[in-house]
Each structure stands twice: as C-alpha cells, then as structure tokens.
C-alpha cells in the first residue's frame, strides 16, 4: 500500500516536471481554466494573505516610476483574476489593461473589477502597438510562459522608451535552513491543502516544480537583459519567498 502511494507521488512529480519542461499555451490554459474558481481563495490561504502585499509592493514601485505622469498607461500580462491590475489601478489617473490566455480566469477578473479592461491575449504576441505603455507588469505569470524570452521581448516592445517592467515571481530562499523549511511546505503541505479545495490538485504539484526549475535572481536578469532590458535589477521580499524583478527600457 505504502509502495503504491509512493509510486503515485513519484508519477505525479514526474508529470508536473514534464509539464513544466514542455508546457504549451493549451496545457497552461487548461490548468488555469480548472483552478480559476478556487484560485483567489487558495492564493490568499496558501500565502497567508501575503500575496497582496507583494502585489502592492510592485504597484508602489510603478507609482514611483510614473510620478508626474497624469495618466500612466499600464498593461498587466497574465493578469489572471486581476488582483495586480487592481493594485495598479490605485495609481492616480492610471489607465490599466489586463491580458491572459485563460478565459475562466478573465471571467472572474471582469466580475471583480468591472472598471478595468480585460481581454484574452498571449504574452508572446501582445496585441498592442510598440511603445504603448509606461508600465508592463506580470504577477506570478512569467514562469508559465510557453516562451519566456519571447514574452519578455514583447514586454520590451510595447513599453515606451524609459518605461518599466515589474515582474513578481515566487522565490526559493537562498539561506539553506529557510530553503529546506520552504520546500517542505511547498512540496508536502501546500499540495495537500490545495487538493481539499481545488478541482485541479495537479496544479499544486506543478507549482513547486515550476518554481524550482525556473531561473531566479541573476539567471533571470540575464534573460531580461537578452530581451532588451539593459537596466535590470531584483528585490527579494518576505525572507526571499518572493521576488520583484525590475527592468527599464532605454529612454
Ligand atoms: C499564477 S496565475 C497569476 C495571476 C495573477 N497575475 C496574480 O497575480 O494572481 C498565472 C496566470 O498566467 C496566465 N498565463 C500563463 N501563460 C500565459 C501566456 N503565455 N500569456 C498570457 N497569460 C498567461 C495563466 O492563464 C494564469 O492566469
């Protein structure tokens, strides 16, 4: 019996890893369409409510970067249920749009925030003109892009010269003690809690594997620079459990 359970866990781990490595728009869309109804509830529960603090940190930076601009144009990519777009919309005069490939996530976003303009779209092929936005943000989305470099090149293309991208991702703490604690929670506790509520418990097996395999800190900055952001930096948050990347398009 124990052996059977172990085999099951191993299979689920392998499936989660292989989805991350060979992810496509279709597989990601399917997963997020499934998690959409419980996404917000689980997000706040599993992060103990800190996720909103991470989004408001990004929005504060956006406000700082657009100070003096009476009507900053902001695009939130992989907007999901719209919480980062909403945080950005608190910037006075901001005109915020959100795009995502999951129609189920977008339906919830539009119900929650009817004043924000949401539409279906792909990070890798953003349907806006060059130099349209002062800020392009993405919260917990870049990790899921089918083609990360192409997505970041699109962020760069649609930004105005001097504009900024703000990207939040989960982070695996570099301190070995914190890292071990975090991975035990992330791999063993979080998927079990999620499976009690979500239609797609698989999504919460995928989550820790996607974070473990995703480039972080300097490695991610290298990709941001390759995408055109010659000025790029990062700021770890909350004991390095989350990270904010900042890139600026040359002015
Ligand atoms: C973890 S959710 C994050 C949602 C939201 N930004 C937040 O802060 O909670 C990731 C979102 O990225 C979207 N996504 C993944 N790949 C995408 C892509 N290539 N283009 C557009 N959206 C994408 C998914 O559909 C999902 O809604």
């Amino acid at each position: 019996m124990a052996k059977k359970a172990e085999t099951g866990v191993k299979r689920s781990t392998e499936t989660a890893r292989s989805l991350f490595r060979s992810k496509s728009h279709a597989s990601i869309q399917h997963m997020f369409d499934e998690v959409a109804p419980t996404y917000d509830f689980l997000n706040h529960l599993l992060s103990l409510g800190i996720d909103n603090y991470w989004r408001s940190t990004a929005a504060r930076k956006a406000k700082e970067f657009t100070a003096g601009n009476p009507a900053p144009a902001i695009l939130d990519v992989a907007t999901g249920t719209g919480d980062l777009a909403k945080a950005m919309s608190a910037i006075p005069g901001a005109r915020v749009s959100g795009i995502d490939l999951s129609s189920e996530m977008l339906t919830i976003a539009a119900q929650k925030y009817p004043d924000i303009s949401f539409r279906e779209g792909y990070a890798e092929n953003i349907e806006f003109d060059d130099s349209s936005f002062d800020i392009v943000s993405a919260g917990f989305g870049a990790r899921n892009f089918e083609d990360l470099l192409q997505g970041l090149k699109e962020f760069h293309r649609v930004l105005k010269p001097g504009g900024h991208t703000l990207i939040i991702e989960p982070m695996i703490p570099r301190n070995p003690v914190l890292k071990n604690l975090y991975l035990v929670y992330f791999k063993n506790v979080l998927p079990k809690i999620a499976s009690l509520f979500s239609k797609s418990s698989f999504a919460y097996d995928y989550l820790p594997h996607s974070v473990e395999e995703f480039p972080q800190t300097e490695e991610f900055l290298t990709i941001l620079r390759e995408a055109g952001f010659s000025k790029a930096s990062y700021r770890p948050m909350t004991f390095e459990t989350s990270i904010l990347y900042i890139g600026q398009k040359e002015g």
Side-chain angles (χ1 to χ4, degrees):
M1 189 70 177
K3 184 138 191 171
K4 202 171 164 193
E6 207 181 291
T7 315
V9 170
K10 215 169 145 197
R11 188 172 307 130
S12 157
T13 301
E14 278 160 14
T15 316
R17 280 216 178 99
S18 88
L19 170 64
F20 180 73
R21 289 178 187 163
S22 61
K23 58 192 175 310
S24 64
H25 285 149
S27 61
I28 292 294
Q29 180 185 359
H30 177 72
M31 187 169 73
F32 281 102
D33 278 348
E34 267 200 354
V35 300
T38 48
Y39 178 81
D40 284 343
F41 167 73
L42 277 173
N43 231 358
H44 304 326
L45 178 73
L46 297 171
S47 74
L48 309 172
I50 304 170
D51 56 315
N52 276 333
Y53 163 75
W54 296 329
R55 292 187 191 90
S56 57
T57 301
R60 268 201 311 278
K61 273 277 157 208
K63 186 175 177 189
E64 198 182 301
F65 292 142
T66 55
N69 179 340
I74 300 178
L75 177 66
D76 186 41
V77 180
T79 193
T81 57
D83 286 357
L84 183 54
K86 176 65 184 171
M88 294 290 174
S89 72
I91 299 171
R95 292 165 292 137
V96 183
S97 307
I99 61 165
D100 198 285
L101 54 71
S102 160
S103 58
E104 298 294 325
M105 295 288 270
L106 286 175
T107 300
I108 294 170
Q111 279 162 2
K112 282 163 65 184
Y113 308 123
D115 297 343
I116 299 177
S117 149
F118 294 107
R119 63 160 98 158
E120 277 186 51
Y122 297 96
E124 295 86 348
N125 181 20
I126 298 176
E127 290 184 349
F128 283 100
D129 292 338
D130 298 0
S131 307
S132 297
F133 295 97
D134 299 289
I135 299 284
V136 175
S137 60
F140 313 102
R143 202 178 59 258
N144 304 297
F145 292 173
E146 184 181 293
D147 185 339
L148 175 63
L149 179 61
Q150 172 60 21
L152 298 179
K153 283 182 177 170
E154 281 290 272
F155 286 22
H156 188 268
R157 180 185 67 76
V158 298
L159 273 171
K160 296 177 188 172
H164 290 82
T165 187
L166 293 158
I167 298 167
I168 314 170
E169 278 298 320
M171 177 174 179
I172 298 187
R174 290 170 288 191
N175 174 300
V177 177
L178 283 180
K179 178 177 174 175
N180 281 338
L181 284 173
Y182 180 82
L183 287 178
V184 167
Y185 172 71
F186 222 35
K187 287 186 168 174
N188 301 318
V189 181
L190 182 148
K192 288 200 177 80
I193 301 176
S195 69
L196 299 175
F197 301 99
S198 178
K199 220 167 108 191
S200 171
S201 60
F202 173 72
Y204 294 90
D205 284 328
Y206 164 84
L207 173 63
H209 294 293
S210 67
V211 176
E212 253 191 320
E213 301 222 352
F214 193 64
Q216 69 173 29
T217 60
E218 288 302 327
E219 247 188 288
F220 188 83
L221 290 190
T222 303
I223 303 171
L224 261 181
R225 291 191 188 108
E226 199 181 334
F229 293 99
S230 49
K231 283 191 202 158
S233 61
Y234 64 83
R235 170 183 164 174
M237 300 184 281
T238 324
F239 306 108
E240 299 198 334
T241 52
S242 182
I243 186 162
L244 175 64
Y245 295 99
I246 301 171
Q248 186 178 17
K249 183 166 173 173
E250 296 278 312

